């Protein structure tokens, strides 16, 4: 109450600051409590959340609210130096202007708009779906009680899979057969009996 539109010097507030218009700061603004701003913040310098008065286990947030309900936040946890971006809905990362690069839905599924490059290992704990090429310069690891790779067409129909069931490595083709088109060395015996292959096995260049 009674605060002028232009604050030319350093001001310190120990109570809640509410601003319904544009706030132009030409020096430091220190608030020991919450600052609720209904308009824009334009800063020619840094916007700093100071940790000098925050406990080692404290968390500070930049909150986004609608109808007094928090819908998202950018928070920092001083106990482990962790930054968290939180949203009640979708989180979208843009690049090259307004082009969507990464979208994370509320069900925690993530969609990359283009190529994803991994310089280290890829570890899949539960499930992962790739709509395009997957490339890695190191190891791809799939963990589970009976881990497997599934191959699907664009309609989502399974065409085949590779699975280790805990005892054997299983290659299964739901559509067509198994083909080995290049020279292959088998260091142990190859047994073909009923129950091993559910379809034909082709070994050759055609």
């Amino acid at each position: 109450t009674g605060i002028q539109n232009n604050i030319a010097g350093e001001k310190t507030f120990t109570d809640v600051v509410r601003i319904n218009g544009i706030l132009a700061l030409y020096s430091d603004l220190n608030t020991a409590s919450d600052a609720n701003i209904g308009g824009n913040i334009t800063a020619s310098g840094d916007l700093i959340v100071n940790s000098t008065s925050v406990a080692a286990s404290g968390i500070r947030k930049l909150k986004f609210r609608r109808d007094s309900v928090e819908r998202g936040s950018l928070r920092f946890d001083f106990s482990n130096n962790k930054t968290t971006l939180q949203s009640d809905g979708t989180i979208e990362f843009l690049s090259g202007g307004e082009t969507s690069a990464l979208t994370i839905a509320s069900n925690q599924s993530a969609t990359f708009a283009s190529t994803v490059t991994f310089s280290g290992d890829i570890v899949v704990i539960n499930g992962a779906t790739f709509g395009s090429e997957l490339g890695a310069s190191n190891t791809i690891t799939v963990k589970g009680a009976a881990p497997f790779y599934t191959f699907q067409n664009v309609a989502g129909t399974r065409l085949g899979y590779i699975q280790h069931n805990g005892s054997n490595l299983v290659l299964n083709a739901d559509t067509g057969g198994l083909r080995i088109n290049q020279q292959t060395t088998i260091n142990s015996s190859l047994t073909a009996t009923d129950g091993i292959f559910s379809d034909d096995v082709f070994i050759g260049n055609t």
Side-chain angles (χ1 to χ4, degrees):
T1 303
I3 300 176
Q4 297 179 352
N5 290 333
N6 295 321
I7 303 176
E10 180 176 327
K11 300 294 182 182
T12 299
F13 302 96
T14 58
D15 203 349
V16 175
V17 178
R18 290 185 174 87
I19 302 170
N20 294 318
I22 296 177
L23 173 63
L25 298 177
Y26 303 100
S27 185
D28 294 339
L29 172 66
N30 301 316
T31 61
S33 186
D34 295 339
N36 300 319
I37 301 174
N40 297 326
I41 298 178
T42 301
S44 59
D46 296 333
L47 182 61
I48 300 174
V49 178
N50 203 333
S51 62
T52 54
S53 61
V54 182
S57 59
I59 297 176
R60 286 295 179 264
K61 295 181 180 181
L62 175 62
K63 302 178 182 180
F64 303 92
R65 294 177 175 174
R66 186 180 67 216
D67 300 328
S68 299
V69 177
E70 184 175 328
R71 308 293 182 174
S73 66
L74 176 63
R75 69 186 77 167
F76 186 84
D77 189 342
F78 289 94
S79 66
N80 53 17
N81 292 330
K82 182 175 71 174
T83 302
T84 303
L85 179 63
Q86 178 271 331
S87 173
D88 287 354
T90 298
I91 296 176
E92 184 178 24
F93 295 88
L94 306 180
S95 66
E98 292 293 319
T99 303
S100 178
L102 168 62
T103 302
I104 304 175
S106 57
N107 62 357
Q108 289 77 55
S109 63
T111 301
F112 292 89
S114 186
T115 302
V116 180
T117 301
F118 300 89
S119 59
D121 296 342
I122 300 175
V123 180
V124 180
I125 303 299
N126 290 316
T129 301
F130 301 93
S132 186
E133 180 179 335
L134 170 64
S137 60
N138 212 325
T139 305
I140 300 177
T141 302
V142 180
K143 290 185 177 181
F148 62 91
Y149 293 94
T150 298
F151 303 92
Q152 298 180 351
N153 60 18
V154 293
T157 302
R158 194 182 74 178
L159 303 177
Y161 64 87
I162 301 174
Q163 180 185 30
H164 200 292
N165 58 18
S167 299
N168 299 296
L169 181 65
V170 180
L171 283 74
N172 184 82
D174 296 322
T175 301
L178 301 176
R179 288 182 179 270
I180 302 176
N181 290 329
Q182 303 298 328
Q183 181 177 346
T184 302
T185 301
I186 300 175
N187 294 322
S188 185
S189 60
L190 174 64
T191 303
T193 60
D194 292 339
I196 295 253
F197 303 108
S198 60
D199 209 330
D200 295 333
V201 176
F202 301 92
I203 301 178
N205 293 321
T206 60

